[in-house]
Amino acid sequence: MAKIIGAVTTSHVPAIGNAIAKGLQNDPYWRPFFKGWDGVHVWLEKTKPDVAVVVYNDHGLQFFLDKLPTFAVGAAPEYRNADEGWGLPTLPPYRGNTDLSWHMIESLVADEFDITTCQEMAVDHAFTLPLKLMWPNAEACPVMTVPVAVNTVQHPLPTPLRCYKFGRALGRAIESYDKDLKVVVLGTGGLSHQLDGPRAGFINKAFDAMCMEKLVGDPEALTRYSIDDLVEQAGTQGVEVINWLTARAALGGRVSEVHRNYHIPISNTASGIMVLANAA
Amino acid sequence: MGSRPRYAHRDISGTTIFDGVQAQKGYALNKMCYSFNAAENRAAFVADEEAYCRKYGLNAAQRKAIKDRDVLGLIAAGGNVYYLAKFAGIFGLGVQDLGAAQTGMSVEAFKQKLLDAAN
């Protein structure tokens, strides 16, 4: 049977892609962030996952406002990165696993999550950069992938409680798959940041610390926040922490914290990185 | 009922929540910015901004805010920052430049404000 080995949660700021393209990993501004991945690499080397299920939000590469799914699951043999408007070099295509994808889709819908299925799906920086950061030396991403996109662009967004329940259903979907695969679940985005309006540049260190703490031992505490609460406390784009909550919920009950890094700022964002291992 | 949605959002200072009201208001503007994913569309915009805005049916407020590079004006006209970031990308500007423009700070001062948030 498939087994969820743990979760990796991380920020996904586009500027990371720019820093990688320019080789700025050891630049004084970037070093605290890139060094924050060492602990993730040690864990990946030890656990060697076969599949990454990536919970992220699309920023207007695949989805426009004409048709915007709340939850969308990829079911393609391959996922391609493309120009998001900044002309950055694109990353090589990502291998899918259509058999696993369709199993997850069947399971989720049976579990009353009526997701959108995508047999073609372009993947943006929120999907590609975390995978590149996890395996920086691999030419192409070495694991199979299943993209799971959550709407954080156009309100109403799914509530933290809904995301938690969706994450639980994702966990059941993955672990009921009958092939022996080791699966890591990613939650990307956050932590606190706001790009728009006179409040641009808003960061909330105390709230981020609380979120990271609760994510480990008491994720249900985060389900008591509303989306407006998250906008107020974490910023308009800080709401992306719902992707972290979804990924965490897929792990189930007890987890152990393997690694944590927090750094202010990268670009406009308070960056967080965590590795949570599933209880055996 | 007035023009506010039934599920009005909390009033958060300096913040416009991109909801159904904004999404309707900004549809043409965001659709134009979405087209900037493609390099040939970015080039077509640069070649003739006015014609490109007309093609997407931008209203007067949106056309003016595009012309003036007025980020707050674009937000007020229904722009979503993820799409506006693609517009900014045409000029080689990033989210820190957008942040400075919206807060009335220099880019250096805005970057310092972010560094100071660590303390």
Side-chain angles (χ1 to χ4, degrees), chain A residues 83 155 197 205 228-229 232, chain B residues 9-10 18 37 42 102 118:
Chain A
D83 188 354
H155 293 244
K205 192 177 175 180
D228 280 6
D229 290 334
E232 190 164 45
Chain B
H9 291 282
R10 188 176 308 160
F18 189 78
N37 279 331
R42 301 198 290 273
Q102 294 174 99

Side-chain angles (χ1 to χ4, degrees), chain B residues 44-106:
Chain B
F45 174 84
V46 169
D48 190 343
E49 290 193 18
E50 286 282 331
Y52 203 85
C53 289
R54 266 200 310 279
K55 178 177 153 192
Y56 277 86
L58 268 60
N59 65 30
Q62 291 165 345
R63 285 204 310 271
K64 181 172 187 324
I66 285 282
K67 188 160 179 264
D68 296 346
R69 315 289 190 250
D70 171 10
V71 184
L72 290 177
L74 289 164
I75 302 263
N80 175 284
V81 73
Y82 291 134
Y83 297 103
L84 297 180
K86 299 173 194 296
F87 170 60
I90 293 176
F91 312 103
L93 301 174
V95 291
Q96 295 195 311
D97 301 297
L98 292 182
Q102 294 174 99
T103 52
M105 303 170 90
S106 69

Side-chain angles (χ1 to χ4, degrees), chain A residues 241-263:
Chain A
V241 74
I242 61 178
N243 300 336
W244 290 43
L245 181 60
T246 305
R248 167 62 181 90
L251 270 52
R254 276 190 318 109
V255 301
S256 58
E257 181 177 340
V258 176
H259 176 72
R260 184 192 300 206
N261 177 271
Y262 182 77
H263 175 67

Side-chain angles (χ1 to χ4, degrees), chain A residues 12-13 29 57-68 83-87 152-156 193-203 205 226-232 236-237 240 264-269, chain B residues 8-20 23 26-27 30-32 34 36-39 42 72 75 80-83 85-86 88-90 93 95-96 98-100 102-103 110-111 113-119:
Chain A
H12 62 215
V13 183
Y29 182 87
N57 54 294
D58 178 83
H59 303 70
L61 178 66
Q62 171 59 57
F63 299 116
F64 180 58
L65 308 174
D66 57 340
K67 304 167 195 75
L68 188 58
D83 188 354
E84 295 180 53
W86 311 305
T152 69
V153 174
Q154 176 182 270
H155 293 244
H193 66 301
Q194 176 151 341
L195 303 178
D196 46 350
R199 195 173 179 244
F202 174 80
I203 279 176
K205 192 177 175 180
S226 68
I227 288 292
D228 280 6
D229 290 334
L230 293 184
V231 171
E232 190 164 45
T236 39
Q237 282 70 44
E240 290 167 343
I264 297 173
I266 52 170
S267 188
N268 284 19
T269 301
Chain B
H9 291 282
R10 188 176 308 160
D11 192 16
I12 300 167
S13 166
T15 301
T16 304
I17 290 186
F18 189 78
D19 61 4
Y27 193 79
N30 291 317
K31 190 168 179 176
M32 180 178 86
Y34 179 60
F36 296 148
N37 279 331
R42 301 198 290 273
L72 290 177
I75 302 263
N80 175 284
V81 73
Y82 291 134
Y83 297 103
K86 299 173 194 296
I90 293 176
L93 301 174
V95 291
Q96 295 195 311
L98 292 182
Q102 294 174 99
T103 52
F110 186 74
K111 286 182 176 175
K113 168 188 153 81
L114 286 155
L115 289 165
D116 292 344
N119 304 317

Side-chain angles (χ1 to χ4, degrees), chain A:
Chain A
M1 299 297 284
K3 167 83 185 137
I4 298 176
I5 57 169
V8 174
T9 57
T10 174
S11 307
H12 62 215
V13 183
I16 299 165
N18 199 34
I20 292 172
K22 290 182 176 164
L24 299 177
Q25 289 88 340
N26 281 314
D27 177 270
Y29 182 87
W30 284 101
R31 190 175 162 75
F33 170 73
F34 282 99
K35 278 297 286 176
W37 284 87
D38 290 354
V40 185
H41 300 151
V42 170
W43 183 74
L44 289 172
E45 190 51 44
K46 200 171 70 181
T47 53
K48 294 190 179 3
D50 306 298
V51 179
V53 173
V54 185
V55 181
Y56 73 108
N57 54 294
D58 178 83
H59 303 70
L61 178 66
Q62 171 59 57
F63 299 116
F64 180 58
L65 308 174
D66 57 340
K67 304 167 195 75
L68 188 58
T70 297
F71 297 119
V73 177
E78 181 180 275
Y79 304 96
R80 288 184 174 268
N81 184 214
D83 188 354
E84 295 180 53
W86 311 305
L88 284 178
T90 54
L91 291 159
Y94 297 79
R95 271 184 305 145
N97 180 328
T98 52
D99 195 52
L100 171 61
S101 284
W102 282 104
H103 168 81
M104 288 170 58
I105 289 161
E106 291 277 358
S107 176
L108 286 166
V109 175
D111 227 344
E112 301 184 344
F113 282 90
D114 307 316
I115 40 84
T116 298
T117 63
C118 304
Q119 291 204 67
E120 289 186 48
M121 198 172 188
V123 286
D124 78 357
H125 64 272
F127 176 95
T128 64
L129 292 178
L131 292 169
K132 185 66 189 169
L133 289 161
M134 286 166 74
W135 290 282
N137 299 321
E139 181 56 36
C141 176
V143 300
M144 295 176 283
T145 56
V146 180
V148 177
V150 177
N151 167 34
T152 69
V153 174
Q154 176 182 270
H155 293 244
L157 313 183
T159 64
L161 177 60
R162 184 66 174 158
C163 290
Y164 182 83
K165 290 177 177 174
F166 179 58
R168 299 289 298 125
L170 265 183
R172 288 189 291 272
I174 295 164
E175 294 212 312
S176 60
Y177 187 59
D178 64 1
K179 305 255 185 345
D180 288 329
L181 290 173
K182 288 187 282 186
V183 179
V184 59
V185 183
L186 274 62
T188 89
L191 285 171
S192 62
H193 66 301
Q194 176 151 341
L195 303 178
D196 46 350
R199 195 173 179 244
F202 174 80
I203 279 176
N204 188 342
K205 192 177 175 180
F207 187 76
D208 290 341
M210 185 281 294
C211 284
M212 292 174 103
E213 203 53 46
K214 293 295 183 195
L215 212 64
V216 181
D218 185 17
E220 288 190 25
L222 300 176
T223 67
R224 291 193 282 273
Y225 290 90
S226 68
I227 288 292
D228 280 6
D229 290 334
L230 293 184
V231 171
E232 190 164 45
Q233 296 293 321
T236 39
Q237 282 70 44
V239 293
E240 290 167 343
V241 74
I242 61 178
N243 300 336
W244 290 43
L245 181 60
T246 305
R248 167 62 181 90
L251 270 52
R254 276 190 318 109
V255 301
S256 58
E257 181 177 340
V258 176
H259 176 72
R260 184 192 300 206
N261 177 271
Y262 182 77
H263 175 67
I264 297 173
I266 52 170
S267 188
N268 284 19
T269 301
S271 146
I273 304 165
M274 293 184 91
V275 176
L276 303 172
N278 218 349

